[in-house]
Amino acid sequence: MSYTYSLSHRVLHFRQPAGTSRGVYTTRNIWLLTLTDDMGRQGVGECAPLPQLSCDDLPDYESLLNDVCSHFCLSGQIDYERLRLYPSMLFGLETALQHLHAESSALFDTPFSRGEEGIPINGLVWMGTHDEMLRRMEEKLEAGFRCVKLKIGAIRFDEELDLIRRIRQRFSREQIELRVDANGAFSPDEAPHKLEQLARYDIHSIEQPIRAGQWDAMAALCRQSPLPIALDEELIGINSRAQKVELMEAIRPAYIILKPSLHGGMMGTKEWICLAQERQIGSWITSALESNVGLNAIAHLAALLYGPAITMPQGLGTGLLFTDNLPMPLSIRGDQLWYTTKL
């Protein structure tokens, strides 16, 4: 089988600024990779490194991506070991190849791809002022989400606690699952006290309470924390199987959160999950601000790896973020993502 490829660079625009503790996104750069085989079949994948976060967010990204695609077309095979260093490129290439062979945007045969079941997702409340976050939180609750994730660390901590307190005054832990994501905003010294305060409100988990790279401090937090800790940014750049084992053995988190375009593509995500399960570490999958092309691939991967009948909410509610998103047969009904039509 022989292949040719083409790349298309696009800039997507957020409906409203997406605030994190690392900054605010207003636009998103993506590269769409189209593979064509000698039978004329085509598949499309998305390569989308996150600025100042992805390990392959490099100044010569497009040139490197062309090299990766050219090498694949010459060999006809994905060089997984080489591409461990370039997870967003690997994810786009894997997606395009799977799309080509599936001949449909339903990448894998699952109850989700057949439209028989949806994937539960969390409602994401972006950082903002207290009033903005309160309004966004109310919108998620009114939409029927039973799991709400709040990004924290950008406004005063007492104001963030007030938002969480408001939810708990109305809804019990059984009614609404609360997750928080600090994106490394706490210092190691202040983190224990803040985790104690958060734990009063029956928080499901906190993502990345302190900055990545402080393994000893993070391990100590995981041992002592009154609420479960999930690793996110900590996994970026941990590419080899040996490195993954070393990190999980050293820190022993309750959960790891996997973004295929950041954490090793489809191959790397499967590897992370397998190694985590061997150590009784939980996991879930989220998107990393991809367009609907990437979101579709991540959703089908989650359905394959965790299904059928996924019960843990995944982080796949980002399809409405952009004014100029790409069409995909995905829809949100209540608190579930559904694949609606086979295209």
Side-chain angles (χ1 to χ4, degrees):
M1 184 70 69
S2 62
Y3 302 90
T4 59
Y5 80 93
S6 64
L7 291 177
S8 172
H9 173 246
R10 297 200 182 191
V11 179
L12 304 179
H13 299 82
F14 285 88
R15 293 183 185 278
Q16 57 187 28
T20 75
S21 60
R22 295 182 302 273
V24 178
Y25 294 119
T26 57
T27 60
R28 180 78 163 100
N29 286 286
I30 68 168
W31 284 262
L32 295 177
L33 161 61
T34 301
L35 287 180
T36 305
D37 69 8
D38 51 15
M39 298 172 60
R41 297 178 301 178
Q42 289 191 324
V44 179
E46 177 177 351
C47 305
L50 273 171
Q52 301 180 333
L53 188 62
S54 298
C55 65
D56 56 356
D57 173 39
L58 302 167
D60 54 348
Y61 184 88
E62 188 166 339
S63 175
L64 285 168
L65 181 55
N66 272 296
D67 288 345
V68 165
C69 295
S70 296
H71 183 274
F72 169 78
C73 289
L74 286 172
S75 67
Q77 296 181 330
I78 297 177
D79 187 345
Y80 286 102
E81 289 308 309
R82 177 195 177 197
L83 293 181
R84 283 181 182 271
L85 299 176
Y86 308 102
S88 68
M89 300 182 196
L90 174 57
F91 178 58
L93 185 55
E94 289 174 308
T95 300
L97 189 59
Q98 186 64 33
H99 184 200
L100 184 152
H101 288 305
E103 300 186 72
S104 164
S105 55
L107 301 187
F108 307 103
D109 183 21
T110 64
F112 172 72
S113 72
R114 296 192 295 270
E116 297 168 3
E117 66 180 30
I119 298 175
I121 60 175
N122 60 248
L124 179 58
V125 176
W126 288 97
M127 289 179 176
T129 66
H130 178 276
D131 290 343
E132 287 171 339
M133 292 181 71
L134 178 60
R135 174 178 52 79
R136 294 167 188 167
M137 186 174 67
E138 292 285 353
E139 289 172 354
K140 298 301 179 185
L141 296 174
E142 289 173 5
F145 283 94
R146 290 170 290 177
C147 176
V148 177
K149 171 180 164 181
L150 286 81
K151 284 188 171 289
I152 62 175
I155 62 176
R156 285 171 39 188
F157 187 62
D158 62 337
E159 293 183 337
E160 292 168 338
L161 285 178
D162 178 67
L163 293 172
I164 295 169
R165 186 183 304 112
R166 287 171 182 257
I167 296 179
R168 278 292 170 253
Q169 286 174 344
R170 293 172 54 190
F171 302 100
S172 69
R173 176 176 58 185
E174 290 72 27
Q175 293 172 306
I176 295 291
E177 180 178 290
L178 278 177
R179 299 174 179 175
V180 295
D181 182 2
N183 286 128
F186 303 159
S187 72
D189 289 338
E190 69 184 356
H193 178 60
K194 289 188 173 181
L195 296 185
E196 287 179 6
Q197 291 178 281
L198 288 166
R200 299 172 187 167
Y201 301 103
D202 293 321
I203 304 294
H204 171 271
S205 57
I206 181 170
E207 297 179 30
Q208 204 68 43
I210 64 174
R211 181 173 43 83
Q214 304 175 89
W215 285 20
D216 290 342
M218 186 68 85
L221 273 183
C222 288
R223 289 195 302 269
Q224 302 164 7
S225 175
L227 67 147
I229 290 176
L231 302 186
D232 182 356
E233 290 92 341
E234 200 75 62
L235 311 183
I236 298 171
I238 306 300
N239 297 315
S240 73
R241 183 183 181 92
Q243 288 176 315
K244 294 172 183 178
V245 170
E246 182 183 10
L247 180 144
M248 285 190 282
E249 292 284 356
I251 298 179
R252 290 284 176 174
Y255 300 101
I256 57 173
I257 300 169
L258 298 163
K259 298 178 173 69
S261 61
L262 289 175
H263 301 138
M266 294 185 183
M267 179 275 293
T269 297
K270 294 175 187 177
E271 186 174 72
W272 273 113
I273 292 172
C274 179
L275 293 172
Q277 287 175 339
E278 291 173 0
R279 290 159 181 81
Q280 291 77 53
I281 295 172
S283 65
W284 64 87
I285 290 178
T286 81
S287 54
L289 305 182
E290 293 90 356
S291 78
N292 278 336
V293 174
L295 176 62
N296 179 72
I298 296 167
H300 284 282
L301 179 65
L304 177 71
L305 297 180
Y306 294 129
I310 301 175
T311 57
M312 177 172 282
Q314 309 293 300
L316 304 176
T318 58
L320 302 177
L321 289 178
F322 304 108
T323 60
D324 44 6
N325 210 335
L326 299 160
M328 272 287 163
L330 300 171
S331 63
I332 295 176
R333 304 177 202 166
D335 66 345
Q336 292 191 333
L337 182 71
W338 286 81
Y339 183 76
T340 55
T341 308
K342 294 185 179 181
L343 296 181

